[in-house]
Structure formats: C-alpha cells, structure tokens
C-alpha cells in the first residue's frame, strides 16, 4: 500500500523529472491537498487560544467522528508525505472534516 516517495515538483526542474506512475501521481496530489488543508487549519484550545492543526489532533477527531474509519497519526503522516494511498472511506471522512468535496483530494489544482 506504500508508493515510492517522489521529490516535490518544485525541487526538480520539469525537464529532469521522470514521469510519475499513476499511483505516485495520486499520492502526490492527495499529499499536496491534505497538507494544504492542514496548514490552513487552526483549532481552539481549552484556554480559548488557537493553534495549528496537528496530525495527532486530526487523527483523534477522525477517530471520534468516524469510528468505523481506521486512521492513526502515523497513517496520516504517510499520507501527507506521499508514502501511502488513502482508502475511499478516509477520503470521504476527511472531505467532511474539511468541508470540501471528496474530488478535491484527487484532482490537481487548475493552473492559470
């Protein structure tokens, strides 16, 4: 279930990049989309302050909100680093948490 990790497109000039396999491309798109959502997200703490969303807190939230969807902090880590491909049930759960359509995680951003 683990795909080979690939350098981000910004690290290697386009003309020097090898073509990604469909599995690697899917992992890279998903990783980029999930990382972006996590980076933009903040959570409220018990004392009323806010902080950035962590993989630990995301995993905890998913476990509580969707107990039938197995997820762990280390599993999320592998996903945001492009080392794993998510299951459809996890894509749907993440889409609901971040209030985006499931397609968001599997389509590239439009350039232009």
């Amino acid at each position: 279930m683990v795909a080979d990790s690939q350098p981000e497109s910004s690290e290697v000039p386009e003309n020097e990049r090898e073509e990604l396999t469909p599995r690697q491309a899917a992992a890279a798109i998903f990783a980029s989309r999930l990382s972006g959502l996590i980076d933009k997200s903040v959570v409220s703490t018990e004392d009323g302050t806010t902080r950035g969303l962590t993989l630990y807190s995301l995993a905890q939230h998913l476990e509580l909100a969707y107990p039938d969807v197995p997820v762990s902090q280390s599993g999320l880590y592998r996903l945001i680093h492009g080392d794993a491909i998510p299951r459809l049930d996890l894509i749907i759960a993440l889409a609901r948490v971040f209030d985006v359509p499931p397609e968001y995680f599997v389509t590239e951003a439009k350039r232009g």
Side-chain angles (χ1 to χ4, degrees), residues 5-103:
S5 60
Q6 291 289 316
E8 290 187 29
S9 58
S10 61
E11 294 176 2
V12 179
E14 188 172 332
N15 61 349
E16 294 179 20
R17 260 188 269 155
E18 293 180 28
E19 188 160 333
L20 299 176
T21 66
R23 183 177 186 83
Q24 292 167 327
I29 292 167
F30 183 86
S32 172
R33 295 300 205 144
L34 181 57
S35 293
L37 289 171
I38 290 171
D39 290 345
K40 293 178 193 174
S41 298
V42 293
V43 294
S44 297
T45 61
E46 291 177 1
D47 64 3
T49 61
T50 59
R51 62 173 171 75
L53 180 65
T54 64
L55 293 181
Y56 177 75
S57 60
L58 178 57
Q60 280 189 316
H61 178 75
L62 287 166
E63 287 174 9
L64 291 172
Y66 305 100
D68 60 330
V69 178
V71 65
S72 67
Q73 180 180 352
S74 62
L76 291 173
Y77 179 88
R78 287 191 302 277
L79 289 170
I80 65 165
H81 286 89
D83 295 332
I85 302 291
R87 297 173 321 279
L88 183 56
D89 59 345
L90 182 57
I91 291 173
I92 291 169
L94 287 166
R96 289 177 181 170
V97 167
F98 289 107
D99 195 27
V100 296
E103 299 83 12

